Amino acid sequence: MKHRAVNRRSVVIGLGAAAGAAAVGGITLTAQAENTGGTDSAGTSADGSLVFDRDDFTKKTESIADASGTEHSVTYRFYKARDYVTHPSDSGHQSLVVSVPVTIDGKAVDASNAPIVLANAVGAYMPSTVADATGVGQAKLEMTGMGGGTGDPMPSGMPSGGTGGGMAGGTGAVNGMVNLAKLALVAGYVVVEPGTRGRSLTDSSGTYYGTAPAVIVDLKAAVRYLRANKGRVPGNVERIVSTGTSAGGASSALLGASGDSEIYEPYLRQAGAADASDAIFATGAWCPITDLEHADGAYEWNWGTLPTQSTGKTVDQNVSKELRSQFAEYQASLNLRGLKGSRFGKITARNYADYLLEHYLRPSATKYLAALPASERETYLAENTFITWQNDRAVFTWEGYLAHVARRKKTQPAFDAFDLSAGENNEFGEGTTKARHFTAYSARNDTTGLSGKRVDSDIPEKLKLMNPMFHLLEERNPHRSRHWWIRLGTSDTDTALTVAANLAMAVDNLGDEVDHAYYWDKGHATNEDPGDFFKWVAEVTGHKS
Ligand code: DHB
């Protein structure tokens, strides 16, 4: 497949932006409008084009904790929400904010060529917004209007109901989650926070306009906006590093994998995205909920024998077995080899448990236990006898690990629910149809009577638009990002461990640099090593702070 071969519509980027960065005065402790010209109240530029007005910012000073918890006084330019497309179906979501550090603890920071951290706030494939943000790290995830079915649990690690905090929002940790936007700013990076459409959005006629592929179209449009404004937008647009967690991790991975793929062209054109590349430099993805059309099988392979959290009951083992055999077939077809240096060769359903144990699970437990004071380690080991501590290493079996995790979060099938109740069914909604099947197996086993026992004809293309594995394995996309940070909690049963591990192998096998590790005993949407992440960002981008 050729990339960028199509003739993209040319979006005129006006030349109206001021020639130099605004000279602004001293540090203020409260928000202070320095310049309000150039944009209207909705944040679109006055001429309707996609020019980034670099004088349209507010100077702010905030105390922000770095990854180790030390507070710093950060003065930064805050560029309030502005549309990143010329024809937003919804500018409440298709807009972004930019934060640029000026001084940290009184010391000047020159971020003019710093990497740009593109921190999405996507969760549960729901909409996220920065429309009302007045500072960094205030993106809101809109969790209202989620389906109430059993297959659509409120993802743990998220604030319940309404807006407020979101994946990247709040003042700091939300159920253990960190605010990557704030951490990026205090680390000296330019921070861009995009809003994105999500699956719950409907227009006045009841049409769903935020379902697949809206989230990725929006993220790509945001990247194109930044690249089209090279030289105007602060930071180095050739060094965009994307971050996201869960559905946001999936979207971040997809953004990294699908750079400049032409399959999004009609959607980007329709939205009025800038005529520029949407390739990014590096990708951070925490617990990516991706490869959705294969995730039901993977889930049963991984967690199929565990009782369900909500009911305490084991799921139908016949269905589990059928799904598991689909996974075995799929996994074999991928032809993935264990990460560099792995003794495992091709990873299949047969050796996958051992591969996970050796590469990720035991090292994760070892790291956790080694860091504990001896007495606490003893206590932990006494309470968790499935682990033996041998030569300063944690040793345990797959069965021991599964019994330790104890419960699966999701019902069965986990993603394409027979009754269309999963959030992902809604993500593949279309027109006025809220939820649809996206796997042949669940369409065949549909219990709602709504569907024709087959997936709709547009589904295969939608799956490609949403799956990084398509871009990596089928397209071997040369415009993908080449640096990958992938993290997952060992107790995260929102999807199978294989989803992240396959993503890591796919990029590794293509020759990309990948840092993949697991947080011991941590659940969904956790981020235990943001300090290391920003060190990694500095390393891969060559950034010197
Ligand atoms: C998220 C969690 C899920 O379990 C899921 O199926 C989709 C998204 C999330 O936390 O974003």
Side-chain angles (χ1 to χ4, degrees):
M1 177 174 171
K2 282 194 290 232
H3 292 268
R4 317 295 315 147
V6 290
N7 224 342
R8 274 169 283 125
R9 181 181 60 82
S10 194
V11 173
V12 177
I13 302 293
L15 298 171
V24 285
I27 299 166
T28 52
L29 283 172
T30 50
Q32 174 195 319
E34 299 275 351
N35 184 325
T36 51
T39 65
D40 64 25
S41 57
T44 50
S45 58
D47 63 358
S49 74
L50 296 174
V51 178
F52 179 81
D53 180 353
R54 62 183 172 196
D55 295 331
D56 176 33
F57 62 84
T58 300
K59 203 164 175 198
K60 303 198 64 169
T61 297
E62 267 180 56
S63 181
I64 300 179
D66 66 19
S68 63
T70 308
E71 295 281 338
H72 300 274
S73 172
V74 181
T75 297
Y76 65 102
R77 292 181 186 153
F78 180 71
Y79 295 84
K80 70 177 192 282
R82 58 212 61 224
D83 293 352
Y84 51 67
V85 288
T86 56
H87 300 99
S89 45
D90 176 346
S91 77
H93 297 100
Q94 293 172 293
S95 57
L96 56 75
V97 296
V98 180
S99 301
V100 186
V102 177
T103 65
I104 299 178
D105 295 331
K107 197 166 151 240
V109 175
D110 178 8
S112 55
N113 203 37
I116 298 172
V117 174
L118 181 70
N120 82 56
V122 176
Y125 291 103
M126 295 294 277
S128 63
T129 182
V130 291
D132 300 327
T134 56
V136 68
Q138 295 178 10
K140 286 178 184 158
L141 177 63
E142 297 172 348
M143 297 298 279
T144 48
M146 295 226 321
T150 51
D152 189 14
M154 179 69 75
S156 63
M158 292 197 177
S160 56
T163 62
M167 297 301 281
T171 50
V174 179
N175 286 352
M177 286 189 303
V178 299
N179 189 318
L180 280 169
K182 287 192 176 195
L183 290 176
L185 189 73
V186 71
Y189 296 106
V190 171
V191 182
V192 176
E193 297 169 82
T196 49
R197 290 169 296 167
R199 63 182 166 88
S200 60
L201 297 171
T202 51
D203 66 15
S204 56
S205 68
T207 299
Y208 285 85
Y209 65 87
T211 53
V215 64
I216 185 63
V217 170
D218 289 352
L219 290 177
K220 282 177 173 290
V223 172
R224 287 183 175 206
Y225 174 89
L226 296 173
R227 284 181 162 268
N229 278 291
K230 181 176 181 164
R232 268 187 297 269
V233 77
N236 184 349
V237 299
E238 306 294 334
R239 292 288 178 274
I240 297 174
V241 181
S242 165
T243 66
T245 302
S246 197
S251 309
S252 182
L254 180 56
L255 188 66
S258 68
D260 288 345
S261 166
E262 67 187 10
I263 67 173
Y264 302 91
E265 207 56 49
Y267 298 95
L268 288 161
R269 199 173 304 136
Q270 189 182 34
D275 185 15
S277 166
D278 53 61
I280 59 167
F281 184 77
T283 304
W286 284 261
C287 54
I289 304 283
T290 191
D291 201 8
L292 297 172
E293 65 271 38
H294 303 110
D296 289 336
Y299 199 90
E300 297 307 319
W301 174 85
N302 201 150
W303 313 118
T305 56
L306 299 184
T308 310
Q309 220 167 63
S310 57
T311 63
K313 295 207 177 86
T314 307
V315 295
D316 183 329
Q317 290 299 300
N318 290 327
V319 171
S320 196
K321 206 170 142 202
E322 283 179 4
L323 285 167
R324 219 175 309 152
S325 74
Q326 288 174 21
F327 170 72
E329 201 176 312
Y330 169 62
Q331 189 63 39
S333 78
L334 294 178
N335 275 317
L336 291 172
R337 285 169 283 108
L339 289 206
K340 279 178 203 80
S342 165
R343 68 179 177 85
F344 286 87
K346 179 171 164 171
I347 303 301
T348 67
R350 272 176 193 281
N351 63 3
Y352 216 142
D354 287 336
Y355 173 69
L356 288 169
L357 280 170
E358 189 168 312
H359 276 254
Y360 301 115
L361 299 174
R362 289 179 189 153
S364 167
T366 299
K367 186 174 172 193
Y368 172 82
L369 287 167
L372 289 181
S375 65
E376 284 179 38
R377 183 163 60 242
E378 289 312 313
T379 307
Y380 186 94
L381 289 168
E383 284 168 1
N384 294 280
T385 52
F386 75 102
I387 301 179
T388 48
W389 190 243
Q390 293 174 3
N391 304 323
D392 293 333
R393 293 215 173 141
V395 179
F396 51 89
T397 63
W398 178 248
E399 289 69 31
Y401 160 72
L402 285 181
H404 176 65
V405 174
R407 290 271 194 271
R408 57 185 278 162
K409 182 166 175 183
K410 296 191 170 179
T411 51
Q412 177 197 56
F415 295 91
D416 189 352
F418 293 156
D419 65 359
L420 293 173
S421 64
E424 284 72 14
N425 293 121
N426 178 205
E427 176 61 2
F428 288 101
E430 170 78 12
T432 55
T433 303
K434 179 180 179 184
R436 297 189 301 166
H437 289 299
F438 53 93
T439 66
Y441 182 76
S442 288
R444 248 192 340 268
N445 289 290
D446 171 75
T447 57
T448 69
L450 291 175
S451 123
K453 302 280 178 196
R454 299 176 68 150
V455 299
D456 286 348
S457 60
D458 64 307
I459 288 288
E461 180 65 14
K462 291 271 159 60
L463 293 171
K464 286 182 185 173
L465 289 159
M466 292 303 289
N467 198 333
M469 301 300 271
F470 163 75
H471 298 279
L472 298 172
L473 297 178
E474 286 186 41
E475 302 292 285
R476 303 173 70 85
N477 179 10
H479 304 291
R480 69 186 182 275
S481 84
R482 302 300 170 109
H483 306 277
W484 299 80
W485 178 273
I486 305 169
R487 290 291 184 273
L488 186 60
T490 60
S491 303
D492 187 340
T493 65
D494 275 55
T495 192
L497 303 182
T498 59
V499 171
N502 275 348
L503 178 65
M505 278 190 271
V507 291
D508 170 89
N509 290 185
L510 285 171
D512 300 349
E513 186 253 340
V514 54
D515 189 324
H516 184 34
Y518 291 54
Y519 307 130
W520 183 249
D521 272 355
K522 293 297 182 297
H524 188 56
T526 43
N527 185 344
E528 294 286 301
D529 55 358
D532 292 345
F533 172 67
F534 287 110
K535 262 187 229 148
W536 176 85
V537 172
E539 224 170 86
V540 300
T541 59
H543 178 61
K544 308 225 175 5
S545 54

